[in-house]
Amino acid sequence: MLSPAYPLVWITGASKGIGRALALRFARAGSTVVASARSADALVDLAREAESLLGQIVPLPLDVTDADAVEAALRKLVVEVSLPDLVVMNAGTHIPVDGTAPRSADFRELLDLNVMGTVHILEAVLPPMVARGGGRLAVVASIAGYRGLRTAAAYGASKAALINMSEALRVELADTGIVLQLVNPGFVDTPLTEGNEFPMPFLMSVDAAAERFYRGLHGDRFEITFPKRFTWILKALRLLPYCLYLPFAGMATRRRKG
């Protein structure tokens, strides 16, 4: 039996959605997956679901917005198992913003979790990975970070920050043996997208998305995107001037009636 490419995988935001499906996919392939999220009960249920699989899922409850807790979690992981071969920074959330009445609390919550939560993981794992001379990191952003979209003034801003940050880090880590990848999903059928009040083209099942994610992590392309047809459309829209893009974005994301 072949050993998995990543014997030890750490995934944050693993209690639901893409993170949960990805954890199960790695466990099926024989990896030991350390699954982190704020919900300890959900992680226990996830570990039970993986009991019949080739690998295993080990719950590690964690609030990534707490930098000290992240450092403590990594120390515990290194002492009890080892430094992970792959770290997937998937923890994040979405809060729709009413552009006519924005709330600073919504922006602060999204930036704290989506951006600073990711930074806290990087702050903890990068020094030991650099010292080891290798490892793989995956930062989960979103196509919402490509350009401004209705109700996504805060969410899109947080994901745009992750995209820019990942581009910079990929350049700086090139000579360290560490591979950093950026993951930009389109619309995936998860609890985060259930409340969207606008059409979601090429909506993808969570299992199909996790499979694309999994396969992308076994290659060296910087950006992993899915579904391909939709993400390439969004990439093309980034080339449009504002006089064309803004009217199009308003029309395409108009709220459903009724």
Side-chain angles (χ1 to χ4, degrees), residues 125-205:
V125 303
L126 269 173
M129 277 192 172
V130 170
R132 181 177 64 186
R136 185 171 295 238
L137 304 167
V139 174
V140 179
S142 168
I143 60 168
Y146 286 169
R147 295 203 76 161
L149 297 170
R150 188 189 299 274
T151 76
Y155 180 73
S158 72
K159 297 303 185 177
L162 291 177
I163 291 171
N164 189 289
M165 180 188 73
S166 297
E167 291 171 350
L169 290 176
R170 174 79 174 205
V171 173
E172 292 194 62
L173 295 173
D175 297 326
T176 66
I178 298 169
V179 176
L180 184 141
Q181 290 176 284
L182 170 68
V183 187
N184 282 324
F187 293 118
V188 178
D189 190 8
T190 69
L192 284 184
T193 59
E194 287 176 357
N196 287 348
E197 298 179 349
F198 51 80
M200 293 182 284
F202 305 105
L203 182 67
M204 198 174 198
S205 75

Side-chain angles (χ1 to χ4, degrees), residues 69-105:
V70 170
E71 287 282 358
L74 181 64
R75 285 196 301 270
K76 175 181 173 66
L77 180 53
V78 170
V79 169
E80 295 184 359
V81 191
S82 71
L83 182 65
D85 305 289
L86 165 66
V87 179
V88 179
M89 288 153 278
N90 176 66
T93 192
H94 173 250
I95 301 173
V97 168
D98 179 352
T100 66
R103 298 174 62 249
S104 61

Side-chain angles (χ1 to χ4, degrees), residues 12 64-66 70 89 91 111-122:
T12 67
V64 297
T65 65
D66 184 338
V70 170
M89 288 153 278
L111 291 170
D112 194 28
L113 176 55
N114 296 357
V115 180
M116 293 310 300
T118 299
V119 172
H120 292 157
I121 298 290
L122 290 169

Side-chain angles (χ1 to χ4, degrees), residues 4-41:
Y6 306 109
L8 182 61
V9 180
W10 187 16
I11 302 176
T12 67
S15 63
K16 56 188 176 182
I18 295 176
R20 185 180 190 279
L22 185 66
L24 290 168
R25 180 64 182 87
F26 270 107
R28 284 200 299 275
S31 297
T32 294
V33 181
V34 177
S36 290
R38 285 181 282 196
S39 174
D41 290 343

